[in-house]
């Protein structure tokens, strides 16, 4: 499977796993996964697939990705955004950096994948479809009625619809129907096919991204040029509109680890089980004891403590946003 460009999306500000993650060190750079970071694990599982890595990151933490790539000894190209403009623009830059017939395997840098063999089998099928001119997304077979993920309604490899993050009752109905997959945020396609569809459906994003890329200096995009790019996800910009979409249904032990609830579930299986009442301590190693509490996560760092019910994990970003408005040093 050599000969593809693995595009690693490595933006993010660390809002959903605060205070473990910060703007200067989002979750993909935390060394809490067996002394490895999620970014390092992303390199490791894709290095045998890739002829080159293309990393799209931001000015606040791109030096962290550069260090990990250099330490891994892989060939890479760096694209540094002055400000985030969502995934449509980020992927456009990667496509513009490649030749039109090159295949891009687009992967987030902050996901965990536990079954490498199943992952490679899914990628192999996606490459076959990409060679045929399709835009391929990866749908994860759901294991529970998750409300924190978007969903893909599928009929075999054909996509019928994309759905927003549902409420609990809707998620249960999705799960029971057997027609829905979690939207993984992973994609595979030829660079030229993606750019053609982006130009067709979102010409403003295409044109402003192209102009910004043409004026980039050593992969660094200017603030002035990036401010002109509409901020829109690849799903809204292209995947929900294109007639060239296929989905590969995957089951490779995936999680985006996008909340303390998903982190809790991961560590429950991997060496940090909760106590008898479902409580767990994360962060700085120190003795922590729980009395009269259930399903509580205690997050401890050098300068901040967060205590939450596991079920409230999706609300952590609200605290981050409040601190951001205050320009607090606790999020930097």
């Amino acid at each position: 499977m050599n000969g593809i460009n693995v595009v690693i999306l490595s933006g993010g500000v660390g809002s959903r796993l605060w205070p473990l993650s910060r703007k200067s060190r989002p979750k993909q750079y935390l060394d809490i996964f067996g002394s490895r970071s999620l970014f390092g694990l992303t390199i490791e599982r894709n290095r045998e697939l890739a002829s080159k890595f293309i990393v799209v990151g931001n000015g606040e933490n791109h030096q962290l990705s550069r260090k990990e790539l250099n330490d891994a000894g892989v060939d890479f190209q760096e694209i540094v955004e002055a400000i985030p403009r969502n995934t449509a623009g980020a992927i456009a830059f990667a496509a513009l950096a490649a030749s039109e017939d090159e295949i891009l395997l687009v992967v987030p840098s902050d996901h965990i994948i536990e079954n490498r063999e199943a992952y490679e089998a899914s990628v192999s099928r996606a490459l076959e479809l990409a060679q045929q001119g399709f835009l391929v997304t990866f749908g994860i077979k759901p294991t529970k009625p998750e409300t924190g993920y978007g969903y893909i309604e599928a009929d075999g490899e054909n996509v019928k619809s994309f759905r927003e993050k549902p409420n609990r009752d809707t998620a249960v109905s999705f799960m029971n129907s057997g027609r829905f997959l979690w939207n993984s945020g992973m994609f595979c396609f030829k660079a030229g096919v993606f750019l053609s569809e982006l130009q067709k459906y979102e010409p403003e994003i295409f044109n402003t991204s192209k102009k910004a890329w043409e004026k980039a200096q050593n992969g660094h995009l200017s603030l002035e040029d990036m401010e002109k790019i509409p901020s829109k996800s690849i799903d809204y910009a292209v995947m929900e509109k294109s007639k060239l979409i296929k989905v590969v249904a995957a089951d490779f032990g995936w999680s985006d680890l996008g909340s303390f609830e998903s982190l809790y579930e991961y560590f429950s299986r991997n060496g940090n089980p909760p106590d008898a009442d479902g409580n767990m301590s994360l962060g700085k190693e120190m003795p922590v004891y729980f009395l009269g509490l259930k399903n509580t996560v205690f997050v401890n760092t050098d300068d901040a403590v967060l205590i939450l019910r596991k079920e409230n994990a999706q609300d952590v970003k609200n605290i981050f946003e409040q601190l951001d408005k205050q320009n607090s040093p606790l999020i930097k």
Side-chain angles (χ1 to χ4, degrees), residues 201-220:
Y201 293 108
E202 290 287 346
E204 186 178 1
I205 295 177
F206 174 83
N207 291 326
T208 52
S209 297
K210 189 171 185 289
K211 289 177 182 177
W213 179 247
E214 289 169 347
K215 294 167 65 176
Q217 299 293 318
N218 297 319
H220 287 247

Side-chain angles (χ1 to χ4, degrees), residues 167-276:
N167 60 32
R168 174 74 181 179
D169 290 343
T170 303
V172 170
S173 71
F174 285 175
M175 183 87 175
N176 291 340
S177 76
R179 301 192 312 272
F180 289 85
L181 304 166
W182 290 336
N183 189 346
S184 71
M186 295 169 50
F187 309 95
C188 187
F189 36 67
K190 289 183 179 179
V193 174
F194 171 74
L195 290 173
S196 177
E197 292 294 276
L198 181 65
Q199 185 176 27
K200 179 179 180 179
Y201 293 108
E202 290 287 346
E204 186 178 1
I205 295 177
F206 174 83
N207 291 326
T208 52
S209 297
K210 189 171 185 289
K211 289 177 182 177
W213 179 247
E214 289 169 347
K215 294 167 65 176
Q217 299 293 318
N218 297 319
H220 287 247
L221 297 138
S222 75
L223 176 62
E224 179 183 2
D225 292 324
M226 289 210 63
E227 285 178 333
K228 299 173 184 176
I229 302 172
S231 180
K232 189 171 286 191
S233 72
I234 181 178
D235 286 333
Y236 282 136
V238 175
M239 304 303 283
E240 294 184 7
K241 301 172 182 176
S242 175
K243 308 303 182 186
L244 303 177
I245 308 301
K246 293 290 185 181
V247 62
V248 171
D251 187 12
F252 41 62
W254 172 91
S255 172
D256 75 343
L257 296 181
S259 69
F260 280 110
E261 183 173 17
S262 57
L263 204 63
Y264 174 103
E265 291 170 354
Y266 172 78
F267 282 117
S268 294
R269 302 190 305 270
N270 293 276
N272 183 23
D275 67 16

Side-chain angles (χ1 to χ4, degrees), residues 52-289:
K52 181 176 73 174
F53 286 90
I54 301 174
V55 181
V56 187
N58 62 53
E60 291 185 305
N61 51 57
H62 72 93
Q63 73 283 356
L64 299 175
S65 62
R66 182 188 300 165
K67 181 180 185 305
E68 296 226 27
L69 289 155
N70 282 327
D71 288 347
V74 298
D75 183 26
F76 69 94
Q77 180 172 356
E78 190 176 53
I79 298 173
V80 182
E81 298 177 315
I83 53 172
R85 304 309 291 162
N86 219 311
T87 52
I91 296 170
F93 298 137
L96 290 163
S99 65
E100 65 177 23
D101 287 329
E102 287 184 302
I103 290 181
L104 309 181
L105 174 63
V106 182
V107 296
S109 60
D110 55 359
H111 293 183
I112 198 80
I113 288 172
E114 299 184 60
N115 187 330
R116 179 96 163 250
E117 184 176 341
Y119 172 71
E120 292 179 357
S122 296
V123 171
S124 180
R125 178 54 184 160
L127 290 174
E128 292 175 0
L129 292 168
Q131 287 285 10
Q132 297 171 30
F134 292 107
L135 301 176
V136 184
T137 185
F138 292 78
I140 309 300
K141 296 175 183 177
T143 58
K144 63 177 182 177
E146 174 63 58
T147 60
Y149 300 151
Y151 283 74
I152 300 168
E153 184 181 10
D155 180 9
E157 291 181 335
N158 297 316
V159 174
K160 297 184 68 176
S161 68
F162 288 85
R163 302 295 184 91
E164 294 297 312
K165 296 175 182 178
N167 60 32
R168 174 74 181 179
D169 290 343
T170 303
V172 170
S173 71
F174 285 175
M175 183 87 175
N176 291 340
S177 76
R179 301 192 312 272
F180 289 85
L181 304 166
W182 290 336
N183 189 346
S184 71
M186 295 169 50
F187 309 95
C188 187
F189 36 67
K190 289 183 179 179
V193 174
F194 171 74
L195 290 173
S196 177
E197 292 294 276
L198 181 65
Q199 185 176 27
K200 179 179 180 179
Y201 293 108
E202 290 287 346
E204 186 178 1
I205 295 177
F206 174 83
N207 291 326
T208 52
S209 297
K210 189 171 185 289
K211 289 177 182 177
W213 179 247
E214 289 169 347
K215 294 167 65 176
Q217 299 293 318
N218 297 319
H220 287 247
L221 297 138
S222 75
L223 176 62
E224 179 183 2
D225 292 324
M226 289 210 63
E227 285 178 333
K228 299 173 184 176
I229 302 172
S231 180
K232 189 171 286 191
S233 72
I234 181 178
D235 286 333
Y236 282 136
V238 175
M239 304 303 283
E240 294 184 7
K241 301 172 182 176
S242 175
K243 308 303 182 186
L244 303 177
I245 308 301
K246 293 290 185 181
V247 62
V248 171
D251 187 12
F252 41 62
W254 172 91
S255 172
D256 75 343
L257 296 181
S259 69
F260 280 110
E261 183 173 17
S262 57
L263 204 63
Y264 174 103
E265 291 170 354
Y266 172 78
F267 282 117
S268 294
R269 302 190 305 270
N270 293 276
N272 183 23
D275 67 16
D277 292 314
N279 302 304
M280 180 183 290
S281 174
L282 296 171
K284 187 176 179 181
E285 291 188 8
M286 61 182 297
V288 175
Y289 303 96

